[in-house]
Amino acid sequence: MQNAVNERLKATIMRLAQVSEAEESVSVNSTAALPSVEAIRHIVSLVKDIVFPGFFDKRQTVGDIRTCYIGMNIEKLGSLLQAQIARGLAFDTQVGEETMTARAAELTLAFIERLTYIKEMLYSDVDAMVHNDPAVKSCGEVIFCYPMVQAMIHHRVAHELLTMGVPIIPRIISEQAHSQTGIDIHPGARIGDHFCIDHGTGIVIGETCIIGSHVMLYQGVTLGAKSFTRGDDGMLLNVPRHPIIEDNVTIYSNTSVLGRITIGHDTVIGGNVWLTHSVPPHSVILQQKAVNSSFTDGAGI
């Protein structure tokens, strides 16, 4: 009996070991080490400790000690990030090891230099939450508890890396935030300062979205594409296809704003709205009221 089981398992293993046609079509440099999901998670955690010192690392945050700990975290961050960027560069391209190492070091330093900007943007997001949610008791509560902060830490990091030309790593970072918070922001989306997400579950922001300053979204909002453009070969083209949201716009829950349209500044869009056309500044867009009609004996069916 056991011999029969072993033979069946052996046959399955041999079938799985064969390279299928679908597997052959996946372009991956099999000789290079792949990016580490755990290491990337640690990278984002280190950025969080650097940007919000004392909140998550339980260390003193005053004077020389603060400087020392931030320096130590940046040293760890640099080492981890350089290794993962190198793996990302080798993920689907045949890059020489020497070139890859030098490029990874250059990109890592450039990212570390952008941490001051990332910090400023994240604190502006916290400030926006404090001033838009009456349930907030303090900035610390927002930093500790609000899923928006987790989502935006990941997005601000992922967006900078993507802008620098780092492959695959930004998408891994954004999907980690998606799984943790239910907020799905493509790293390509451009988001201004004082961005505010209340509740957040189910929010989707597409790759080519451009979002201005002081924009607020509620749960279930989709900033998506209405349609896709294909080339002569039938393949999808990566062209601008998501909305432009100007400054001081509020979009309430479960609303879908679709296509390359512009929502003018200081506009309010109510809940459960399906919007596929541009609107001018200072607009108020509400859901159309249901039309009630009565009929008898099947009339109208």
Side-chain angles (χ1 to χ4, degrees), residues 18 88 102 161 176 226 229 240 256:
Q18 295 176 359
L161 290 172
Q176 287 178 345
K226 181 183 176 184
T229 303
S256 294

Side-chain angles (χ1 to χ4, degrees), residues 140-176:
E141 180 185 24
V142 174
I143 294 169
F144 271 129
C145 306
Y146 277 57
M148 179 205 76
V149 175
Q150 289 293 336
M152 291 311 296
I153 290 171
H154 283 75
H155 176 71
R156 300 289 187 196
V157 170
H159 181 72
E160 289 302 315
L161 290 172
L162 184 71
T163 301
M164 293 174 184
V166 176
I168 198 63
I169 307 299
R171 197 59 191 269
I172 294 174
I173 291 172
S174 68
E175 291 306 325
Q176 287 178 345

Side-chain angles (χ1 to χ4, degrees), residues 225-239:
K226 181 183 176 184
S227 60
F228 303 103
T229 303
R230 295 183 182 272
D232 295 337
D233 58 358
M235 298 298 292
L236 290 173
L237 300 178
N238 189 8
V239 297

Side-chain angles (χ1 to χ4, degrees), residues 42-53 57 59 65-83 105 107-119:
H42 192 191
I43 286 167
V44 177
S45 180
L46 285 167
V47 172
K48 185 165 64 173
D49 290 343
I50 292 165
V51 170
F52 299 113
D57 57 6
R59 294 169 175 170
I65 294 176
R66 171 187 171 96
T67 304
C68 177
Y69 280 131
I70 290 176
M72 290 170 57
N73 283 334
I74 284 182
E75 185 177 4
K76 294 177 187 176
L77 172 66
S79 177
L80 279 173
L81 184 58
Q82 182 172 333
L107 289 168
T108 298
L109 179 57
F111 175 80
I112 289 173
E113 290 175 332
R114 295 291 288 169
L115 283 173
T116 301
Y117 169 76
I118 291 172
K119 180 175 180 176

